[in-house]
Amino acid sequence: MHKYKNISTPVIKRLPRYYRFLGELLDKNVTRISSRELSGKMGLTASQIRQDLNCFGGFGQQGYGYSVQSLYNEIGHILGLDHSYHAILIGAGNLGKAVAVHMSFEKRGFKLIGIFDNDPAKIGTTIRNITVNDLDDVESFCSSHHTDVAIFCVPKTAAPAIADRLHGLGIKNYWNFSHYDLSVRYDDIIVENVHLNDSLMILCYKISDANDLPVEES
Amino acid sequence: MHKYKNISTPVIKRLPRYYRFLGELLDKNVTRISSRELSGKMGLTASQIRQDLNCFGGFGQQGYGYSVQSLYNEIGHILGLDHSYHAILIGAGNLGKAVAVHMSFEKRGFKLIGIFDNDPAKIGTTIRNITVNDLDDVESFCSSHHTDVAIFCVPKTAAPAIADRLHGLGIKNYWNFSHYDLSVRYDDIIVENVHLNDSLMILCYKISDANDLPVEES
DNA sequence: TAGATTGTTAATCGATTAACAATC
DNA sequence: TAGATTGTTAATCGATTAACAATC
């Protein structure tokens, strides 16, 4: 059991942003901050910030505010960033490669230990000092390397079959970049989705809505 | 003014997913579906689906259900996918390149018309049949090409200065992949964020929380 | 002590779920 | 007509905001 009070989903979703802002304050050598100051910077109400931060224990000090450093540490701890989950990347296409190269896994609680693809042109190449392996070797790899997470960067059509294989290997945690809804197929897994198509459609909606420009009719 | 009733933020966020599922049904030549069937597939309650879909007018037919095709068309229309907003990509690093290559912009209401970077090694190369231009030419480019959106794929440190330039050019819509919070800097812009770091931290939290494994203490 | 700011309760607001009358 | 399923209202649930007492 966590030592924290119930942290609701909206609060969890805000935690990385708090973490980011607190990190920036630390970079500027700010040692303390009040909920009101932080609310100005982050665009939340001071009340909400106090509610949020109070979920995980009285870290503030009345009449003083919050210690930036201890709040930063605490949120990092709640997020589990001090873990080191072993991750494999499935799919070394443009997106998979970008993710592998771009992310600071170590700072976020992960370690990338393997990359797999079924394209002969990619197998054998090196990304981030990791050799791209044949996807057909994923079974033997996982039998000898403890694997917590799969970073799932495969085309939608290939997704179900590959997902079945990974699921069969006992991999229960997914960072899902595919357009396929893994959580619909399995109900015993943890999935964090990055659906870029969905995000782009939301942007399209926001622009269209702000412009008040229905395309047909009016 | 839209012809739709007030569509709340949670509903909007669900629209791309509805669109995706309806598209799949169309692929399977399913012509009609009831809220109950759809609820099974999508993992929402039938009640919520009826509430959601009713926001944009009575598209269902009592005793029958919903026409998959007209619902699909309607949601695409609400999302504004029948627009063609002109987008430029700022930053042709791994992530920017992956986004440029990977996305079907045309299907999502956008057209990619230019790519910019300040790295001499990248300028002059070609991505998706578009030549990467010097970022210093973005001002002249935008003066001769109407530009609606910037896809913002620059490192955090470079973000504020480049954002100021784009904002100065009158670009008010951003698909933001940088770790920088654009909406904090400007209050007259529309931003859709893809914060991969935040997403990875959320995954870390979900895994840690499910495993109930605080790292220190207990 | 006086001032500031949190922690926490109460009030408000909004979203989801349940229920059922309308109707195809 | 009878059966099915929506549209819509009411009830519930949860999250945000406001207020203020506790306390540093």
Side-chain angles (χ1 to χ4, degrees):
Chain A
M1 280 282 292
H2 267 157
K3 62 176 173 161
Y4 308 110
K5 304 181 196 178
N6 291 337
I7 306 183
S8 67
T9 324
V11 176
I12 293 162
K13 288 195 180 153
R14 283 192 288 270
L15 287 184
R17 194 147 175 271
Y18 280 119
Y19 192 74
R20 197 147 34 86
F21 273 83
L22 291 167
E24 278 169 27
L25 290 170
L26 279 182
D27 290 344
K28 293 180 196 151
N29 295 310
V30 178
T31 55
R32 62 160 278 248
I33 193 153
S34 70
S35 56
R36 203 163 64 79
E37 283 175 285
L38 196 54
S39 88
K41 288 187 194 296
M42 292 189 62
L44 302 171
T45 66
S47 196
Q48 179 165 53
I49 288 174
R50 287 202 300 281
Q51 286 275 15
D52 285 358
L53 300 187
N54 200 244
C55 283
F56 27 97
F59 260 79
Q61 210 178 344
Q62 278 142 327
Y64 174 84
Y66 299 87
S67 154
V68 177
Q69 182 71 64
S70 52
L71 208 49
Y72 180 80
N73 294 345
E74 186 67 9
I75 291 176
H77 182 64
I78 293 162
L79 286 168
L81 304 186
D82 32 19
H83 286 281
S84 183
Y85 297 116
H86 287 194
I88 57 174
L89 170 67
I90 309 295
N94 283 296
L95 189 56
K97 195 178 161 186
V99 169
V101 174
H102 187 263
M103 301 299 300
S104 305
F105 290 107
E106 292 73 16
K107 284 189 195 161
R108 306 302 175 212
F110 296 91
K111 187 171 192 304
L112 186 62
I113 60 167
I115 303 179
F116 297 87
D117 204 296
N118 58 11
D119 177 358
K122 286 176 192 126
I123 296 166
T125 61
T126 296
I127 300 172
R128 226 187 206 228
N129 288 323
I130 299 172
T131 304
V132 177
N133 283 312
D134 191 327
L135 181 59
D136 284 337
D137 296 335
V138 72
E139 279 81 8
S140 71
F141 181 93
C142 287
S143 69
S144 58
H145 298 77
H146 175 72
T147 306
D148 300 292
V149 186
I151 303 170
F152 200 66
C153 293
V154 304
K156 186 169 189 171
T157 45
I162 298 177
D164 280 346
R165 285 173 67 183
L166 298 173
H167 190 254
L169 288 169
I171 298 177
K172 295 286 166 70
N173 305 306
Y174 295 85
W175 199 18
N176 180 32
F177 287 78
S178 86
H179 300 325
Y180 184 73
D181 258 77
L182 291 172
S183 41
V184 167
R185 194 171 185 89
Y186 317 102
D187 59 4
D188 63 343
I189 61 174
I190 290 169
V191 185
E192 168 69 14
N193 291 304
V194 180
H195 287 321
L196 294 184
N197 262 311
D198 290 12
S199 173
L200 189 55
M201 287 192 259
I202 295 289
L203 177 63
C204 190
Y205 174 84
K206 286 178 179 173
I207 298 172
S208 305
D209 187 55
N211 292 349
D212 263 346
L213 289 172
V215 165
E216 303 158 339
E217 306 110 21
S218 119
Chain B
M1 280 284 291
H2 267 157
K3 60 177 172 160
Y4 309 109
K5 304 182 196 176
N6 291 337
I7 307 184
S8 67
T9 325
V11 175
I12 293 161
K13 287 194 180 152
R14 282 192 288 270
L15 287 184
R17 194 147 175 271
Y18 280 118
Y19 193 74
R20 198 147 33 86
F21 273 82
L22 291 167
E24 278 169 27
L25 290 171
L26 279 182
D27 290 343
K28 294 180 195 151
N29 294 310
V30 177
T31 54
R32 64 159 277 249
I33 193 155
S34 71
S35 57
R36 204 164 62 79
E37 284 175 285
L38 196 54
S39 88
K41 289 185 194 296
M42 293 189 61
L44 302 170
T45 66
S47 196
Q48 179 164 54
I49 288 175
R50 286 203 300 280
Q51 285 276 14
D52 285 357
L53 300 187
N54 201 244
C55 284
F56 27 97
F59 260 79
Q61 209 178 342
Q62 279 142 328
Y64 174 83
Y66 300 87
S67 152
V68 177
Q69 182 70 62
S70 54
L71 208 48
Y72 179 81
N73 294 345
E74 186 67 12
I75 291 177
H77 182 64
I78 292 162
L79 286 167
L81 304 186
D82 34 16
H83 286 280
S84 183
Y85 297 116
H86 287 194
I88 57 174
L89 170 66
I90 309 296
N94 283 296
L95 189 57
K97 196 179 162 186
V99 168
V101 174
H102 187 262
M103 301 300 299
S104 304
F105 290 107
E106 293 73 16
K107 285 189 195 162
R108 308 301 176 213
F110 296 91
K111 188 172 192 306
L112 186 63
I113 61 167
I115 303 179
F116 298 87
D117 203 297
N118 58 11
D119 176 358
K122 286 177 193 125
I123 296 166
T125 62
T126 296
I127 300 172
R128 226 187 205 228
N129 288 322
I130 299 171
T131 303
V132 178
N133 283 311
D134 191 327
L135 182 58
D136 284 338
D137 296 336
V138 72
E139 279 82 7
S140 72
F141 181 92
C142 286
S143 70
S144 59
H145 298 78
H146 174 72
T147 306
D148 299 292
V149 186
I151 304 170
F152 201 66
C153 293
V154 305
K156 186 170 190 170
T157 46
I162 297 177
D164 279 347
R165 284 172 67 183
L166 298 173
H167 191 254
L169 288 168
I171 298 178
K172 295 286 166 70
N173 304 307
Y174 295 85
W175 199 19
N176 180 33
F177 287 77
S178 85
H179 300 323
Y180 184 73
D181 258 76
L182 290 172
S183 41
V184 167
R185 194 171 186 90
Y186 317 102
D187 58 5
D188 62 342
I189 62 174
I190 290 168
V191 185
E192 167 68 13
N193 291 303
V194 180
H195 288 319
L196 294 184
N197 262 310
D198 289 12
S199 173
L200 189 54
M201 288 191 258
I202 294 288
L203 177 63
C204 191
Y205 173 84
K206 286 178 179 174
I207 298 173
S208 307
D209 189 53
N211 292 348
D212 264 346
L213 290 172
V215 167
E216 303 157 339
E217 306 111 20
S218 121

